[in-house]
Amino acid sequence: MIRCPECSAEIDVDEDEVEEGEILSCPECESELEVSQTHPVHLNLISEEGDDDDDDEEDDEEEEGEKADLIDEDDEEEEVEEEDEE
């Protein structure tokens, strides 16, 4: 019996049934784990850094969109103020 490096849940893996480089999923936290060694079985957590980079770019785009919305609202307020002055 081995443990998930992320959440320490027990993972039932038979040394004779897995191959080095095989990708497994933790039944508890659903982390992807790569078999780095078979005798004894050793698992490495597959980092999701590549996915995080994409998320950061999307977050940046959303923030820019929100800033644009704020600018539009400010312009509308200025136009209303100008009309009130006339």
Side-chain angles (χ1 to χ4, degrees), residues 11-73:
I11 302 174
D12 186 20
V13 177
D14 187 357
E15 291 180 354
D16 298 327
E17 294 181 7
V18 294
E19 295 178 10
E20 195 169 316
E22 186 174 340
I23 306 297
L24 304 176
S25 181
C26 174
E28 293 295 319
C29 68
E30 299 181 0
S31 294
E32 289 187 335
L33 309 167
E34 180 179 11
V35 178
S36 60
Q37 181 179 321
T38 55
H39 296 285
V41 174
H42 186 264
L43 301 176
N44 287 332
L45 180 64
I46 297 176
S47 67
E48 297 179 4
E49 290 176 10
D51 293 342
D52 290 345
D53 291 342
D54 293 341
D55 292 343
D56 291 342
E57 290 173 11
E58 290 172 10
D59 291 344
D60 292 345
E61 291 171 6
E62 288 175 11
E63 287 176 9
E64 288 174 10
E66 290 172 5
K67 289 178 185 173
D69 290 343
L70 292 175
I71 293 170
D72 292 341
E73 290 173 10

Side-chain angles (χ1 to χ4, degrees), residues 1-14:
M1 192 69 65
I2 57 174
R3 295 199 176 268
C4 172
E6 181 72 7
C7 70
S8 299
E10 290 184 354
I11 302 174
D12 186 20
V13 177
D14 187 357

